[in-house]
């Protein structure tokens, strides 16, 4: 399994699945979540509403993951995960790691060969980007890849990309 760090727009990645740093409602929001919803088109919102009506009436729990189609995105699927909110007192590193491992479990179920992740919880949810980077790299390296041959961390901004690059180098 190859792991790479890319600075760019996750909605433009030519991968099988992109991971959405969603909120528990799955109904869109700001940051990465809003960008993915805008790029995927209104069909994504309708698919998320259907998930809420059927499988997830209380919303998606923190640390869990679920997939929808990618609709108008280059990616075939969107894997939605809810990161812990540091600002709301959700400071358990295991919950953050679960976002990455559960997203990869969903990717394996989909038989995705390539997956792009954002810096889950490093934005408005207030987690330190260095801690997110270290947790993300450790988490994805801890799981058996199955069908996943490529993991990209697609990040916004030099500082976040540098944090993930440093964490990847530290991990060997």
């Amino acid at each position: 399994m190859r792991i790479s760090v890319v600075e760019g727009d996750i909605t433009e990645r030519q991968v099988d699945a992109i991971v959405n740093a969603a909120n528990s409602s799955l109904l869109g929001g700001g940051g990465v979540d809003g960008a993915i919803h805008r790029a995927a088109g209104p069909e994504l919102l309708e698919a998320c509403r259907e998930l809420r009506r059927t499988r997830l009436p209380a919303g998606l729990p923190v640390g869990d993951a679920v997939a929808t189609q990618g609709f108008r995105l280059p990616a075939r699927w969107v894997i939605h995960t809810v990161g812990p909110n540091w600002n709301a007192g959700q400071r358990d590193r295991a919950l953050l790691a679960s976002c990455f491992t559960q997203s990869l479990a969903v990717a394996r179920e989909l038989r995705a060969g390539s997956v792009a992740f954002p810096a889950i919880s490093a934005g408005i949810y207030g987690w330190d980007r260095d801690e997110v980077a270290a947790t993300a790299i450790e988490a994805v390296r801890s799981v058996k890849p199955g069908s996943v041959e490529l993991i990209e961390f697609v990040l916004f901004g030099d500082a976040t990309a540098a944090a993930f690059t440093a964490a990847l180098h530290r991990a060997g």
Side-chain angles (χ1 to χ4, degrees):
M1 175 175 61
R2 291 183 302 123
I3 300 172
S4 65
V5 175
V6 178
E7 186 178 354
D9 183 345
I10 198 167
T11 67
E12 297 175 356
R13 300 308 297 169
Q14 299 284 333
V15 294
D16 294 328
I18 63 172
V19 177
N20 181 17
N23 60 55
S24 63
S25 77
L26 296 177
L27 302 180
V32 170
D33 191 17
I36 289 172
H37 272 267
R38 285 188 299 277
E43 299 89 350
L44 180 59
L45 179 59
E46 185 51 41
C48 289
R49 285 183 175 144
E50 182 63 19
L51 283 171
R52 290 298 307 276
R53 278 193 293 272
T54 57
R55 293 178 41 202
L56 299 166
L60 184 63
V62 173
D64 207 351
V66 66
T68 62
Q69 291 181 28
F71 300 103
R72 299 179 191 180
L73 293 162
R76 184 171 177 189
W77 297 288
V78 176
I79 299 171
H80 308 268
T81 190
V82 180
N85 186 333
W86 181 274
N87 298 321
Q90 296 171 336
R91 300 180 178 180
D92 183 354
R93 193 168 180 249
L95 278 177
L96 181 60
S98 181
C99 294
F100 296 96
T101 59
Q102 291 301 308
S103 293
L104 284 177
V106 171
R108 285 191 311 274
E109 289 172 11
L110 297 169
R111 299 191 196 299
S114 53
V115 180
F117 282 95
I120 297 165
S121 292
I124 193 72
Y125 281 8
W127 278 72
D128 175 79
R129 75 176 130 245
D130 293 320
E131 186 164 0
V132 171
T135 302
I137 298 297
E138 180 182 308
V140 300
R141 290 179 63 139
S142 73
V143 299
K144 293 184 179 184
S147 61
V148 179
E149 296 175 4
L150 172 65
I151 293 174
E152 293 183 341
F153 288 100
V154 182
L155 308 160
F156 182 77
D158 292 338
T160 305
F164 273 76
T165 299
L168 186 56
H169 286 299
R170 279 192 304 276

